[in-house]
């Protein structure tokens, strides 16, 4: 009995954290789809939506940091101040970060929520490719086979979207670009973390501040300020409420992702993310009342199955490394999605 209570408490805590991650991630995708591509909203300014979310994230980071001096629940957060030298050091990562968040949102704008997971499913493949090209790390045959399944599922999904008349090559392009940028972001994050003393909190703050500055000329170049000037709902409280909610979810996803990894493991987080993607696809098909073919569902299962298989293989390899300290450095590759 003495051991049972702590076990049940831990299990309950893990269940709550996983549910919180699923809710936040799925809600953020659906909310962003509304802001980016809603026929009722008719706002063609994806960079502005992304800019606002970055600005709100930076403001929340700074606000919570200032609240750290007041004690719980903010106690323990590092103090934040903008150091131009650090900001310049983080700038290369910020450029990749802008590419990642912008291409993610542009992919979501041009494809349906149901296809969104398949459209940007090549992150694992780019992880393996970039690890070899940039870090000279090799990948096992079983992991490569899992990547092959993911690529097959991606192409089958593209084929089926075309057969159903819902294919957007623009969305596919930004989905591939998003996958590449997510992989580059992971690599650059590891390189830049020492600049901010290993603090993800500080890195998030600098990344989003830099992104806000870089977004302004891009928005001007693409004419989004003119679009906003003629936008009929610019003074609507409900519009700004949805924008703020989207920004809060964008900020929260980083926190709940960290919580899930903390209370489970990186491997379990990957498995949870794969299962979440499956649930998100099913919910999208139901919510938007779509009818999908058997091969379309097969493409989703191939992507999810390949992602799960890759995670499982990497988990086994990590366990082998932990048990055998003599494993070669090249086999220590761990760039999980």
């Amino acid at each position: 009995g003495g051991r049972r209570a702590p076990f049940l408490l831990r299990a309950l805590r893990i269940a709550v954290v996983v549910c919180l991650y699923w809710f936040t991630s799925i809600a953020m995708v659906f909310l962003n789809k509304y802001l980016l591509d809603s026929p009722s909203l008719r706002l063609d300014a994806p960079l502005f939506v992304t800019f606002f979310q970055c600005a709100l994230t930076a403001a929340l980071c700074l606000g919570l940091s200032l609240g750290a001096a007041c004690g719980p629940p903010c106690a323990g957060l590092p103090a934040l101040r903008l150091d131009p030298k650090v900001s310049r050091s983080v700038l290369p990562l910020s450029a990749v970060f802008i590419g990642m968040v912008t291409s993610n949102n542009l992919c979501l704008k041009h494809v349906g929520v149901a296809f969104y997971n398949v459209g940007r499913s090549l992150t694992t493949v780019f992880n393996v490719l970039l690890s070899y090209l940039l870090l000279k790390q090799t990948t096992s045959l079983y992991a490569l086979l899992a990547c092959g399944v993911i690529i097959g599922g991606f192409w089958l999904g593209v084929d089926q979207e075309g057969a159903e008349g819902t294919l957007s090559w623009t969305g596919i392009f930004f989905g591939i670009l998003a996958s590449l940028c997510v992989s580059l972001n992971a690599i650059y994050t590891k390189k830049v973390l020492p600049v901010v003393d290993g603090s993800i909190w500080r890195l998030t703050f600098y990344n989003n501040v830099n992104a806000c500055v870089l977004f302004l000329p891009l928005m001007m170049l693409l004419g989004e300020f003119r679009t906003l000037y003629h936008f009929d709902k610019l003074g609507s409280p409900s519009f700004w409420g949805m924008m703020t909610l989207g920004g809060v979810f964008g900020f929260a996803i980083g926190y709940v992702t960290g919580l899930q990894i903390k209370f489970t493991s990186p491997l379990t987080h990957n498995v949870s993310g794969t299962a979440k993607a499956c649930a998100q696809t099913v919910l999208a098909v139901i919510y938007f009342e779509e009818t999908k073919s058997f091969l379309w569902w097969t493409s989703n299962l191939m992507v999810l199955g390949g992602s799960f298989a890759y995670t499982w293989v990497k988990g086994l390899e990590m366990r082998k490394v932990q048990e055998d300290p003599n494993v070669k450095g090249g086999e220590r590759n761990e760039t999980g999605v």
Side-chain angles (χ1 to χ4, degrees):
R3 293 180 179 177
R4 185 184 230 175
F7 170 77
L8 292 176
L9 184 61
R10 288 196 303 271
L12 180 61
R13 185 165 52 189
I14 290 172
V16 169
V17 168
V18 170
C19 288
L20 186 62
Y21 167 77
W22 278 41
F23 171 77
T24 304
S25 181
I26 293 175
M28 183 181 69
V29 170
F30 276 86
L31 188 55
N32 277 346
K33 181 63 176 177
Y34 168 78
L35 292 171
L36 294 164
D37 193 39
S38 171
S40 61
L41 195 61
R42 300 190 307 276
L43 175 62
D44 188 20
L47 291 185
F48 169 70
V49 173
T50 313
F51 163 81
F52 182 85
Q53 292 177 349
C54 290
L56 187 58
T57 297
L60 287 171
C61 285
L62 186 59
L64 290 175
S65 174
L66 294 174
C70 303
C74 298
L77 296 180
L80 295 177
R81 63 181 182 86
L82 194 59
D83 185 338
K85 184 178 179 181
V86 175
S87 184
R88 285 194 300 270
S89 299
V90 177
L91 199 56
L93 172 63
S94 299
V96 174
F97 174 74
I98 283 181
M100 180 181 71
V101 294
T102 302
S103 53
N104 267 324
N105 279 350
L106 287 173
C107 175
L108 183 58
K109 176 180 173 63
H110 291 285
V111 305
V113 176
F115 186 71
Y116 179 58
N117 180 60
V118 173
R120 49 188 294 279
S121 60
L122 298 181
T123 302
T124 301
V125 178
F126 280 118
N127 275 348
V128 172
L129 183 62
L130 293 176
S131 294
Y132 178 75
L133 293 177
L134 302 180
L135 306 177
K136 306 303 179 184
Q137 293 176 335
T138 57
T139 304
S140 68
L141 175 62
Y142 290 116
L144 290 175
L145 289 175
C147 289
V149 173
I150 294 173
I151 295 173
F154 172 80
W155 281 115
L156 180 60
V158 170
D159 175 74
Q160 289 304 298
E161 283 287 301
E164 294 182 3
T166 55
L167 178 65
S168 167
W169 283 109
T170 303
I172 296 300
F173 169 76
F174 283 115
I176 295 173
L177 184 61
S179 301
L180 174 61
C181 288
V182 169
S183 298
L184 286 172
N185 187 73
I187 292 173
Y188 274 92
T189 296
K190 291 180 180 179
K191 291 184 176 181
V192 173
L193 266 176
V195 177
V196 289
D197 301 321
S199 172
I200 292 293
W201 189 259
R202 287 196 179 99
L203 186 60
T204 300
F205 174 70
Y206 277 104
N207 237 350
N208 283 276
V209 169
N210 284 348
C212 290
V213 175
L214 295 174
F215 267 127
L216 292 175
L218 291 175
M219 291 166 60
M220 185 176 297
L221 184 65
L222 296 177
E224 290 201 358
F225 288 113
R226 185 170 59 252
T227 301
L228 291 170
Y229 179 78
H230 295 288
F231 182 53
D232 59 349
K233 295 182 177 62
L234 199 59
S236 169
S238 61
F239 165 70
W240 288 109
M242 296 295 282
M243 287 285 288
T244 303
L245 190 59
V248 169
F249 275 118
F251 171 79
I253 189 64
Y255 179 72
V256 297
T257 297
L259 274 183
Q260 180 166 251
I261 294 173
K262 176 182 178 181
F263 287 111
T264 57
S265 67
L267 184 62
T268 304
H269 167 66
N270 290 342
V271 174
S272 174
T274 303
K276 187 275 303 181
C278 180
Q280 179 178 292
T281 300
V282 173
L283 284 173
V285 170
I286 295 172
Y287 180 78
F288 293 105
E289 299 179 348
E290 299 173 339
T291 302
K292 300 297 184 182
S293 67
F294 172 77
L295 287 178
W296 187 92
W297 286 108
T298 301
S299 71
N300 276 264
L301 290 175
M302 287 177 67
V303 166
L304 295 171
S307 300
F308 176 80
Y310 180 86
T311 301
W312 181 63
V313 168
K314 298 307 294 183
L316 291 179
E317 292 175 357
M318 288 169 60
R319 187 178 302 173
K320 180 181 178 182
V321 168
Q322 292 170 354
E323 293 175 352
D324 185 1
N326 297 319
V327 174
K328 295 180 181 179
E331 298 179 20
R332 295 176 182 268
N333 173 26
E334 200 284 303
T335 56
V337 183

